[in-house]
Amino acid sequence: LAVLQDEKLVTLIKSSIKLRECYKCYRTCWKIYKSKDWGGRPTQASFECGVLMGVGAFNLDLGLQLLQEGSKIEHGVRDPLCALIILVYDLYATQMTVGDEVTALADARELLPAWIKKFPTSAFFTFLNGRLAQLTSDFPLAKDYLFKSISAQSDFVNFQHICYWELMWCHCVQGEWMDAMKYAERLACESKWSHATYRYLKAAFIIQFLDDELRGSLSDNGRKSSVTVPIEVDPKEYADGGTLSRHVDELLESVPQMIQRIAGKSLPIEKFAMKKAIRYFEQGNRLTLPGLELMYLWNGFKVISNNPVLLNKFLLIIESKIQSLVANQNKLINFTEDFCVATLLKGVCQRCLRKNFQAQMCFYEVITNEKSIKLDRYVLPFSEVELCQIAMEEGDIDKAKTHLDKA
Protein backbone atom coordinates (compact mmCIF):
# COMPACT_ATOMS: atom_id res chain seq x y z
CA LEU A 1 0.00 0.00 0.00
CA ALA A 2 2.91 2.33 0.67
CA VAL A 3 4.06 1.88 -2.93
CA LEU A 4 0.56 2.58 -4.23
CA GLN A 5 0.30 5.73 -2.13
CA ASP A 6 3.74 7.09 -3.01
CA GLU A 7 5.47 5.77 -6.13
CA LYS A 8 8.83 7.43 -5.55
CA LEU A 9 11.81 5.12 -5.94
CA VAL A 10 12.90 5.87 -2.37
CA THR A 11 9.57 4.57 -1.10
CA LEU A 12 10.03 1.41 -3.15
CA ILE A 13 13.47 0.83 -1.61
CA LYS A 14 12.20 1.44 1.93
CA SER A 15 9.34 -0.97 1.33
CA SER A 16 11.78 -3.58 0.04
CA ILE A 17 13.81 -3.32 3.24
CA LYS A 18 10.68 -3.84 5.33
CA LEU A 19 9.89 -6.97 3.34
CA ARG A 20 12.78 -8.77 5.03
CA GLU A 21 11.29 -8.14 8.45
CA CYS A 22 7.94 -9.25 7.11
CA TYR A 23 9.49 -12.48 5.85
CA LYS A 24 10.94 -13.23 9.29
CA CYS A 25 7.51 -12.75 10.85
CA TYR A 26 5.92 -15.16 8.40
CA ARG A 27 8.58 -17.78 9.14
CA THR A 28 7.63 -17.59 12.80
CA CYS A 29 3.94 -17.80 11.93
CA TRP A 30 4.63 -20.84 9.75
CA LYS A 31 6.09 -22.67 12.74
CA ILE A 32 2.97 -21.83 14.73
CA TYR A 33 0.79 -22.96 11.83
CA LYS A 34 2.52 -26.35 11.73
CA SER A 35 2.38 -27.01 15.47
CA LYS A 36 -0.54 -25.16 17.07
CA ASP A 37 -3.72 -27.01 18.05
CA TRP A 38 -6.53 -24.53 17.51
CA GLY A 39 -9.28 -26.63 18.96
CA GLY A 40 -11.80 -25.30 16.46
CA ARG A 41 -11.38 -21.64 17.43
CA PRO A 42 -13.04 -19.14 15.07
CA THR A 43 -9.75 -17.31 14.48
CA GLN A 44 -8.13 -20.41 12.96
CA ALA A 45 -9.33 -19.74 9.40
CA SER A 46 -8.10 -16.15 9.46
CA PHE A 47 -4.67 -17.06 10.82
CA GLU A 48 -4.11 -20.02 8.52
CA CYS A 49 -5.22 -18.07 5.46
CA GLY A 50 -2.84 -15.23 6.33
CA VAL A 51 0.09 -17.58 6.85
CA LEU A 52 -0.55 -19.40 3.59
CA MET A 53 -0.74 -16.06 1.80
CA GLY A 54 2.51 -14.75 3.26
CA VAL A 55 4.60 -17.90 2.93
CA GLY A 56 3.21 -18.56 -0.54
CA ALA A 57 3.94 -15.02 -1.71
CA PHE A 58 7.55 -15.17 -0.55
CA ASN A 59 8.14 -18.53 -2.23
CA LEU A 60 6.15 -18.28 -5.44
CA ASP A 61 7.83 -21.17 -7.23
CA LEU A 62 6.97 -23.51 -4.38
CA GLY A 63 4.18 -21.50 -2.80
CA LEU A 64 1.52 -21.37 -5.51
CA GLN A 65 -0.07 -24.44 -3.98
CA LEU A 66 -0.16 -22.70 -0.60
CA LEU A 67 -1.77 -19.65 -2.17
CA GLN A 68 -4.36 -21.82 -3.86
CA GLU A 69 -5.15 -23.46 -0.54
CA GLY A 70 -5.41 -20.04 1.09
CA SER A 71 -7.77 -18.73 -1.60
CA LYS A 72 -10.16 -21.61 -0.88
CA ILE A 73 -10.47 -20.93 2.86
CA GLU A 74 -13.88 -19.38 3.36
CA HIS A 75 -14.06 -16.45 5.77
CA GLY A 76 -10.27 -16.44 5.88
CA VAL A 77 -10.13 -12.64 5.49
CA ARG A 78 -7.03 -12.87 3.30
CA ASP A 79 -8.38 -15.34 0.76
CA PRO A 80 -8.92 -12.52 -1.78
CA LEU A 81 -5.27 -11.51 -1.34
CA CYS A 82 -4.19 -15.09 -2.06
CA ALA A 83 -6.23 -15.01 -5.26
CA LEU A 84 -4.79 -11.62 -6.23
CA ILE A 85 -1.22 -12.83 -5.85
CA ILE A 86 -1.94 -15.91 -7.96
CA LEU A 87 -3.54 -13.78 -10.67
CA VAL A 88 -0.69 -11.27 -10.72
CA TYR A 89 1.72 -14.17 -11.07
CA ASP A 90 -0.33 -15.73 -13.88
CA LEU A 91 -0.95 -12.50 -15.77
CA TYR A 92 2.42 -10.79 -15.34
CA ALA A 93 5.29 -12.97 -14.13
CA THR A 94 4.56 -15.94 -16.40
CA GLN A 95 4.10 -13.69 -19.44
CA MET A 96 7.74 -12.62 -19.22
CA THR A 97 8.99 -16.17 -19.69
CA VAL A 98 8.54 -18.90 -22.28
CA GLY A 99 6.61 -22.08 -21.64
CA ASP A 100 4.01 -21.50 -18.89
CA GLU A 101 2.01 -18.60 -20.31
CA VAL A 102 -0.76 -20.69 -21.89
CA THR A 103 -1.36 -22.67 -18.70
CA ALA A 104 -1.24 -19.48 -16.66
CA LEU A 105 -3.87 -17.81 -18.83
CA ALA A 106 -6.10 -20.86 -18.51
CA ASP A 107 -5.72 -20.75 -14.72
CA ALA A 108 -6.56 -17.04 -14.68
CA ARG A 109 -9.66 -17.61 -16.80
CA GLU A 110 -10.80 -20.25 -14.34
CA LEU A 111 -10.06 -18.22 -11.21
CA LEU A 112 -11.21 -14.71 -12.13
CA PRO A 113 -14.97 -15.16 -12.74
CA ALA A 114 -15.66 -16.41 -9.22
CA TRP A 115 -13.87 -13.46 -7.63
CA ILE A 116 -15.44 -10.93 -9.98
CA LYS A 117 -18.82 -12.35 -9.02
CA LYS A 118 -17.91 -12.10 -5.34
CA PHE A 119 -16.46 -8.57 -5.63
CA PRO A 120 -18.06 -7.01 -8.74
CA THR A 121 -16.86 -3.49 -7.92
CA SER A 122 -13.30 -4.43 -6.95
CA ALA A 123 -10.77 -2.20 -8.70
CA PHE A 124 -8.08 -4.89 -8.43
CA PHE A 125 -10.03 -7.82 -9.84
CA THR A 126 -11.52 -5.61 -12.55
CA PHE A 127 -8.02 -4.45 -13.49
CA LEU A 128 -6.78 -8.03 -13.71
CA ASN A 129 -9.77 -8.90 -15.86
CA GLY A 130 -8.65 -6.13 -18.18
CA ARG A 131 -5.13 -7.50 -18.20
CA LEU A 132 -6.48 -10.93 -19.14
CA ALA A 133 -8.46 -9.43 -22.02
CA GLN A 134 -5.37 -7.55 -23.15
CA LEU A 135 -3.27 -10.72 -23.23
CA THR A 136 -5.91 -12.41 -25.37
CA SER A 137 -5.96 -9.44 -27.81
CA ASP A 138 -9.50 -8.41 -26.87
CA PHE A 139 -8.52 -4.76 -26.64
CA PRO A 140 -12.01 -3.16 -26.55
CA LEU A 141 -12.93 -5.37 -23.59
CA ALA A 142 -9.55 -4.70 -21.95
CA LYS A 143 -10.05 -0.94 -22.20
CA ASP A 144 -13.57 -1.26 -20.81
CA TYR A 145 -12.36 -3.15 -17.73
CA LEU A 146 -9.44 -0.75 -17.21
CA PHE A 147 -11.75 2.27 -17.33
CA LYS A 148 -14.05 0.55 -14.82
CA SER A 149 -11.07 -0.11 -12.57
CA ILE A 150 -10.06 3.55 -12.71
CA SER A 151 -13.54 4.72 -11.76
CA ALA A 152 -13.96 2.06 -9.05
CA GLN A 153 -11.73 3.88 -6.57
CA SER A 154 -10.03 7.23 -6.05
CA ASP A 155 -8.02 6.65 -2.87
CA PHE A 156 -4.98 5.17 -4.62
CA VAL A 157 -4.25 7.53 -7.48
CA ASN A 158 -1.07 5.67 -8.30
CA PHE A 159 -3.07 2.51 -8.91
CA GLN A 160 -4.94 4.48 -11.54
CA HIS A 161 -1.57 5.25 -13.09
CA ILE A 162 -1.00 1.52 -13.49
CA CYS A 163 -4.29 1.39 -15.38
CA TYR A 164 -3.17 4.27 -17.60
CA TRP A 165 0.07 2.40 -18.25
CA GLU A 166 -1.84 -0.65 -19.47
CA LEU A 167 -4.19 1.51 -21.54
CA MET A 168 -1.14 3.06 -23.17
CA TRP A 169 0.12 -0.36 -24.24
CA CYS A 170 -3.34 -1.40 -25.42
CA HIS A 171 -3.18 1.45 -27.92
CA CYS A 172 0.49 0.93 -28.70
CA VAL A 173 0.16 -2.72 -29.72
CA GLN A 174 -2.60 -1.69 -32.12
CA GLY A 175 -0.46 1.00 -33.70
CA GLU A 176 -2.63 3.79 -32.29
CA TRP A 177 0.38 5.93 -31.56
CA MET A 178 -1.26 9.22 -30.68
CA ASP A 179 -3.73 7.58 -28.31
CA ALA A 180 -0.81 5.82 -26.64
CA MET A 181 1.02 9.15 -26.47
CA LYS A 182 -1.90 10.75 -24.61
CA TYR A 183 -1.60 8.22 -21.79
CA ALA A 184 2.17 8.64 -21.69
CA GLU A 185 1.56 12.38 -21.42
CA ARG A 186 -0.87 11.90 -18.57
CA LEU A 187 1.63 9.73 -16.73
CA ALA A 188 4.34 12.32 -17.32
CA CYS A 189 2.11 14.97 -15.74
CA GLU A 190 0.76 12.95 -12.81
CA SER A 191 3.15 10.11 -12.00
CA LYS A 192 6.41 10.48 -10.10
CA TRP A 193 7.94 7.14 -11.06
CA SER A 194 10.13 8.11 -14.03
CA HIS A 195 9.68 11.36 -15.92
CA ALA A 196 12.56 10.44 -18.23
CA THR A 197 10.79 7.25 -19.29
CA TYR A 198 7.42 8.89 -19.81
CA ARG A 199 8.91 11.70 -21.87
CA TYR A 200 10.80 9.28 -24.06
CA LEU A 201 7.64 7.22 -24.53
CA LYS A 202 5.78 10.35 -25.63
CA ALA A 203 8.50 11.30 -28.09
CA ALA A 204 8.81 7.77 -29.47
CA PHE A 205 5.09 7.45 -30.10
CA ILE A 206 4.95 10.83 -31.85
CA ILE A 207 7.94 10.00 -34.06
CA GLN A 208 6.42 6.63 -34.95
CA PHE A 209 3.06 8.22 -35.76
CA LEU A 210 4.51 10.93 -37.98
CA ASP A 211 6.89 8.53 -39.68
CA ASP A 212 4.00 6.20 -40.51
CA GLU A 213 1.89 9.09 -41.73
CA LEU A 214 4.54 10.28 -44.15
CA ARG A 215 5.60 6.97 -45.53
CA GLY A 216 2.06 5.85 -46.17
CA SER A 217 2.99 2.31 -45.17
CA LEU A 218 -0.68 1.56 -44.85
CA SER A 219 -3.56 2.97 -46.83
CA ASP A 220 -7.07 3.14 -45.43
CA ASN A 221 -7.88 -0.33 -46.74
CA GLY A 222 -4.67 -1.84 -45.35
CA ARG A 223 -2.76 -2.17 -48.63
CA LYS A 224 0.94 -1.35 -48.90
CA SER A 225 1.90 1.99 -50.41
CA SER A 226 4.26 1.95 -53.36
CA VAL A 227 5.91 5.20 -52.30
CA THR A 228 9.32 5.09 -50.63
CA VAL A 229 10.10 8.45 -49.07
CA PRO A 230 13.74 9.58 -49.02
CA ILE A 231 15.17 9.43 -45.53
CA GLU A 232 16.33 13.05 -45.61
CA VAL A 233 12.74 14.29 -45.79
CA ASP A 234 11.70 15.16 -42.25
CA PRO A 235 8.36 13.40 -41.67
CA LYS A 236 7.52 15.71 -38.80
CA GLU A 237 7.91 18.84 -40.90
CA TYR A 238 5.87 17.26 -43.67
CA ALA A 239 3.05 16.15 -41.42
CA ASP A 240 2.25 19.17 -39.29
CA GLY A 241 4.46 22.06 -40.23
CA GLY A 242 6.93 21.29 -37.46
CA THR A 243 4.78 21.68 -34.33
CA LEU A 244 5.13 18.08 -33.25
CA SER A 245 8.75 18.07 -34.39
CA ARG A 246 9.59 20.87 -31.99
CA HIS A 247 7.68 19.13 -29.22
CA VAL A 248 9.70 15.95 -29.78
CA ASP A 249 12.91 17.97 -29.63
CA GLU A 250 11.85 19.55 -26.34
CA LEU A 251 10.90 16.19 -24.84
CA LEU A 252 14.15 14.47 -25.78
CA GLU A 253 16.32 17.43 -24.77
CA SER A 254 14.93 17.11 -21.23
CA VAL A 255 15.37 13.33 -20.88
CA PRO A 256 19.08 13.29 -19.80
CA GLN A 257 18.39 15.87 -17.07
CA MET A 258 15.61 13.74 -15.59
CA ILE A 259 17.58 10.55 -15.02
CA GLN A 260 17.26 9.32 -11.43
CA ARG A 261 20.17 7.68 -9.66
CA ILE A 262 19.85 5.37 -6.69
CA ALA A 263 23.17 4.49 -5.04
CA GLY A 264 24.90 5.74 -8.17
CA LYS A 265 22.85 3.52 -10.47
CA SER A 266 20.13 4.52 -12.92
CA LEU A 267 17.15 2.47 -14.03
CA PRO A 268 17.86 0.41 -17.17
CA ILE A 269 14.85 1.87 -18.99
CA GLU A 270 15.98 5.40 -18.12
CA LYS A 271 19.50 4.66 -19.32
CA PHE A 272 18.01 3.33 -22.57
CA ALA A 273 15.86 6.46 -22.95
CA MET A 274 18.85 8.74 -22.32
CA LYS A 275 21.02 6.99 -24.91
CA LYS A 276 18.24 7.13 -27.49
CA ALA A 277 17.59 10.81 -26.77
CA ILE A 278 21.25 11.70 -27.25
CA ARG A 279 21.41 9.60 -30.38
CA TYR A 280 18.32 11.32 -31.80
CA PHE A 281 20.17 14.63 -31.98
CA GLU A 282 23.46 13.08 -33.12
CA GLN A 283 21.66 11.49 -36.08
CA GLY A 284 20.03 14.70 -37.22
CA ASN A 285 16.79 14.39 -35.26
CA ARG A 286 16.03 10.84 -36.34
CA LEU A 287 15.25 7.50 -34.69
CA THR A 288 14.37 4.20 -36.33
CA LEU A 289 11.00 2.67 -35.43
CA PRO A 290 11.13 3.88 -31.80
CA GLY A 291 7.51 2.98 -31.06
CA LEU A 292 7.82 -0.57 -32.34
CA GLU A 293 11.16 -0.96 -30.60
CA LEU A 294 9.61 -0.03 -27.26
CA MET A 295 6.68 -2.31 -27.97
CA TYR A 296 9.09 -5.20 -28.49
CA LEU A 297 11.15 -4.44 -25.39
CA TRP A 298 7.98 -4.39 -23.28
CA ASN A 299 6.81 -7.74 -24.66
CA GLY A 300 4.09 -6.20 -26.81
CA PHE A 301 4.54 -8.57 -29.74
CA LYS A 302 3.71 -11.47 -27.44
CA VAL A 303 0.31 -9.88 -26.81
CA ILE A 304 -0.51 -9.80 -30.53
CA SER A 305 1.24 -13.04 -31.48
CA ASN A 306 -2.11 -14.54 -32.52
CA ASN A 307 -3.33 -11.44 -34.35
CA PRO A 308 -2.15 -11.69 -37.98
CA VAL A 309 -3.89 -8.46 -38.99
CA LEU A 310 -1.82 -6.36 -36.60
CA LEU A 311 1.34 -8.34 -37.30
CA ASN A 312 1.05 -7.81 -41.05
CA LYS A 313 0.32 -4.15 -40.45
CA PHE A 314 3.54 -3.73 -38.49
CA LEU A 315 5.47 -5.89 -40.95
CA LEU A 316 4.59 -3.49 -43.77
CA ILE A 317 5.79 -0.54 -41.69
CA ILE A 318 9.07 -2.28 -40.88
CA GLU A 319 9.74 -3.37 -44.46
CA SER A 320 9.12 0.17 -45.68
CA LYS A 321 11.61 1.48 -43.14
CA ILE A 322 14.23 -1.10 -44.15
CA GLN A 323 13.83 -0.07 -47.80
CA SER A 324 14.41 3.57 -46.89
CA LEU A 325 17.43 2.74 -44.75
CA VAL A 326 19.06 0.64 -47.45
CA ALA A 327 18.34 3.21 -50.16
CA ASN A 328 20.03 5.94 -48.10
CA GLN A 329 22.67 3.98 -46.20
CA ASN A 330 25.58 6.09 -47.46
CA LYS A 331 23.99 9.21 -45.98
CA LEU A 332 23.14 7.77 -42.57
CA ILE A 333 24.99 7.79 -39.29
CA ASN A 334 24.70 4.44 -37.49
CA PHE A 335 23.14 2.69 -40.48
CA THR A 336 24.11 -0.78 -39.24
CA GLU A 337 22.46 -0.27 -35.85
CA ASP A 338 19.25 1.06 -37.40
CA PHE A 339 19.18 -1.70 -39.99
CA CYS A 340 19.69 -4.40 -37.36
CA VAL A 341 16.96 -3.02 -35.08
CA ALA A 342 14.52 -2.98 -37.99
CA THR A 343 15.61 -6.46 -39.11
CA LEU A 344 15.17 -7.83 -35.59
CA LEU A 345 11.64 -6.41 -35.47
CA LYS A 346 10.91 -7.87 -38.89
CA GLY A 347 12.07 -11.27 -37.68
CA VAL A 348 9.84 -11.04 -34.62
CA CYS A 349 6.82 -10.34 -36.82
CA GLN A 350 7.74 -13.28 -39.04
CA ARG A 351 8.13 -15.59 -36.06
CA CYS A 352 4.75 -14.56 -34.66
CA LEU A 353 3.24 -15.24 -38.10
CA ARG A 354 4.76 -18.75 -37.90
CA LYS A 355 7.12 -18.03 -40.80
CA ASN A 356 10.06 -19.52 -38.98
CA PHE A 357 12.47 -19.78 -41.91
CA GLN A 358 12.09 -16.11 -42.84
CA ALA A 359 12.37 -15.15 -39.18
CA GLN A 360 15.58 -17.13 -38.76
CA MET A 361 17.12 -15.40 -41.77
CA CYS A 362 16.40 -12.04 -40.14
CA PHE A 363 17.95 -13.03 -36.82
CA TYR A 364 21.03 -14.52 -38.49
CA GLU A 365 21.35 -11.31 -40.52
CA VAL A 366 21.55 -9.36 -37.27
CA ILE A 367 24.11 -11.73 -35.76
CA THR A 368 26.37 -11.55 -38.83
CA ASN A 369 26.70 -7.80 -38.21
CA GLU A 370 27.99 -8.33 -34.67
CA LYS A 371 31.37 -6.68 -35.23
CA SER A 372 29.81 -3.60 -36.82
CA ILE A 373 27.25 -2.94 -34.07
CA LYS A 374 28.57 -0.42 -31.57
CA LEU A 375 25.44 1.04 -29.96
CA ASP A 376 22.36 -1.22 -29.96
CA ARG A 377 24.22 -4.28 -28.73
CA TYR A 378 21.06 -5.68 -27.17
CA VAL A 379 19.89 -6.87 -30.61
CA LEU A 380 22.52 -9.63 -30.53
CA PRO A 381 21.39 -11.53 -27.40
CA PHE A 382 17.77 -10.83 -28.28
CA SER A 383 18.28 -12.41 -31.71
CA GLU A 384 19.80 -15.48 -30.07
CA VAL A 385 16.83 -15.73 -27.70
CA GLU A 386 14.43 -15.47 -30.64
CA LEU A 387 16.30 -18.29 -32.39
CA CYS A 388 16.15 -20.26 -29.16
CA GLN A 389 12.39 -19.82 -29.05
CA ILE A 390 11.99 -21.00 -32.65
CA ALA A 391 14.11 -24.06 -31.89
CA MET A 392 11.97 -24.84 -28.85
CA GLU A 393 8.79 -24.53 -30.89
CA GLU A 394 10.27 -26.97 -33.41
CA GLY A 395 11.28 -29.39 -30.67
CA ASP A 396 15.05 -29.01 -31.16
CA ILE A 397 16.08 -28.67 -27.52
CA ASP A 398 19.83 -29.00 -28.14
CA LYS A 399 19.77 -26.20 -30.69
CA ALA A 400 17.69 -24.09 -28.32
CA LYS A 401 20.26 -24.57 -25.55
CA THR A 402 23.06 -23.57 -27.92
CA HIS A 403 21.37 -20.29 -28.81
CA LEU A 404 20.50 -19.61 -25.19
CA ASP A 405 24.12 -20.13 -24.15
CA LYS A 406 25.24 -17.65 -26.81
CA ALA A 407 22.72 -15.11 -25.58
Side-chain angles (χ1 to χ4, degrees):
L1 291 178
V3 176
L4 289 178
Q5 289 175 328
D6 184 358
E7 57 190 5
K8 293 180 181 177
L9 285 176
V10 174
T11 303
L12 180 62
I13 293 171
K14 289 180 178 178
S15 300
S16 300
I17 295 172
K18 291 180 180 178
L19 282 176
R20 181 171 178 79
E21 294 300 319
C22 184
Y23 175 66
K24 291 179 180 178
C25 292
Y26 275 118
R27 286 184 63 183
T28 302
C29 291
W30 178 254
K31 294 177 182 178
I32 298 173
Y33 168 79
K34 298 294 286 184
S35 60
K36 186 175 179 63
D37 181 11
W38 288 89
R41 295 179 188 175
T43 54
Q44 179 179 357
S46 177
F47 179 81
E48 290 184 349
C49 186
V51 173
L52 291 171
M53 179 204 72
V55 176
F58 277 107
N59 301 275
L60 273 179
D61 289 336
L62 302 174
L64 285 176
Q65 184 178 353
L66 298 179
L67 289 168
Q68 289 168 353
E69 291 177 13
S71 68
K72 295 175 183 177
I73 297 178
E74 294 186 7
H75 311 297
V77 181
R78 294 170 184 82
D79 48 323
L81 289 176
C82 291
L84 280 173
I85 295 170
I86 294 171
L87 288 167
V88 170
Y89 178 80
D90 285 342
L91 298 176
Y92 280 94
T94 59
Q95 302 307 312
M96 300 176 187
T97 59
V98 178
D100 295 332
E101 59 268 28
V102 176
T103 303
L105 286 179
D107 291 343
R109 285 195 191 95
E110 183 179 348
L111 187 60
L112 258 173
W115 289 101
I116 287 290
K117 184 178 180 180
K118 193 172 183 179
F119 301 104
T121 60
S122 166
F124 295 105
F125 285 117
T126 304
F127 167 78
L128 291 170
N129 225 356
R131 171 66 176 174
L132 177 60
Q134 181 191 48
L135 291 174
T136 54
S137 292
D138 191 345
F139 300 113
L141 183 62
K143 294 173 189 175
D144 183 51
Y145 279 127
L146 290 169
F147 284 130
K148 287 180 179 178
S149 180
I150 291 169
S151 60
Q153 62 86 35
S154 57
D155 294 327
F156 298 111
V157 176
N158 295 326
F159 179 74
Q160 294 179 336
H161 294 163
I162 298 174
C163 296
Y164 295 144
W165 177 266
E166 294 298 342
L167 283 165
M168 179 186 74
W169 291 114
C170 279
H171 287 292
C172 176
V173 297
Q174 296 179 89
E176 298 170 350
W177 306 115
M178 293 308 286
D179 289 321
M181 185 279 295
K182 291 175 184 176
Y183 285 105
E185 183 173 33
R186 182 157 192 169
L187 288 168
C189 294
E190 298 181 9
S191 175
K192 299 176 182 178
W193 176 65
S194 173
H195 287 288
T197 301
Y198 297 140
R199 284 175 173 257
Y200 179 71
L201 284 165
K202 280 182 63 179
F205 293 147
I206 293 172
I207 293 170
Q208 189 71 62
F209 164 74
L210 293 173
D211 200 36
D212 292 354
E213 285 290 297
L214 173 63
R215 296 180 188 284
S217 298
L218 298 171
S219 61
D220 291 339
N221 61 3
R223 291 177 299 181
K224 185 177 179 181
S225 171
S226 60
V227 178
T228 300
V229 179
I231 203 79
E232 61 267 18
V233 175
D234 187 346
K236 298 175 285 298
E237 296 290 345
Y238 178 88
D240 72 331
T243 302
L244 286 176
S245 174
R246 289 189 291 273
H247 187 46
V248 169
D249 293 347
E250 292 169 0
L251 288 169
L252 294 180
E253 281 177 354
S254 65
V255 167
Q257 286 76 41
M258 294 188 171
I259 299 297
Q260 303 174 86
R261 295 190 181 278
I262 304 297
K265 301 290 185 179
S266 57
L267 292 173
I269 183 60
E270 288 193 340
K271 188 180 295 184
F272 174 85
M274 180 180 67
K275 289 180 178 179
K276 287 289 182 177
I278 294 171
R279 185 165 152 191
Y280 169 80
F281 293 106
E282 291 177 346
Q283 296 180 161
N285 296 27
R286 180 183 63 82
L287 288 175
T288 297
L289 302 172
L292 288 171
E293 183 182 30
L294 282 169
M295 177 179 154
Y296 173 64
L297 294 176
W298 284 97
N299 232 16
F301 281 97
K302 192 170 187 177
V303 174
I304 61 168
S305 60
N306 294 315
N307 192 323
V309 174
L310 287 175
L311 289 168
N312 281 305
K313 169 183 174 179
F314 292 137
L315 187 58
L316 290 175
I317 293 172
I318 295 165
E319 288 177 339
S320 176
K321 173 61 73 174
I322 291 175
Q323 289 177 10
S324 292
L325 290 171
V326 172
N328 297 274
Q329 59 182 294
N330 295 328
K331 304 174 185 178
L332 298 178
I333 302 173
N334 303 321
F335 162 76
T336 303
E337 278 80 357
D338 292 339
F339 175 77
C340 287
V341 168
T343 303
L344 171 64
L345 294 173
K346 179 180 177 180
V348 173
C349 288
Q350 300 279 21
R351 179 182 61 75
C352 292
L353 288 166
R354 311 298 186 266
K355 298 178 180 179
N356 287 351
F357 178 76
Q358 294 93 322
Q360 286 174 319
M361 293 301 100
C362 291
F363 300 136
Y364 283 125
E365 178 77 18
V366 173
I367 294 169
T368 56
N369 285 284
E370 178 179 3
K371 294 182 179 179
S372 301
I373 300 174
K374 306 300 181 185
L375 300 174
D376 292 319
R377 298 287 298 177
Y378 79 87
V379 300
L380 298 170
F382 278 46
S383 294
E384 293 287 1
V385 170
E386 294 292 341
L387 288 167
C388 169
Q389 189 163 342
I390 291 174
M392 287 183 63
E393 291 172 356
E394 295 177 346
D396 193 339
I397 303 301
D398 291 335
K399 188 176 181 181
K401 289 180 179 178
T402 300
H403 286 299
L404 195 58
D405 289 339
K406 290 180 180 178

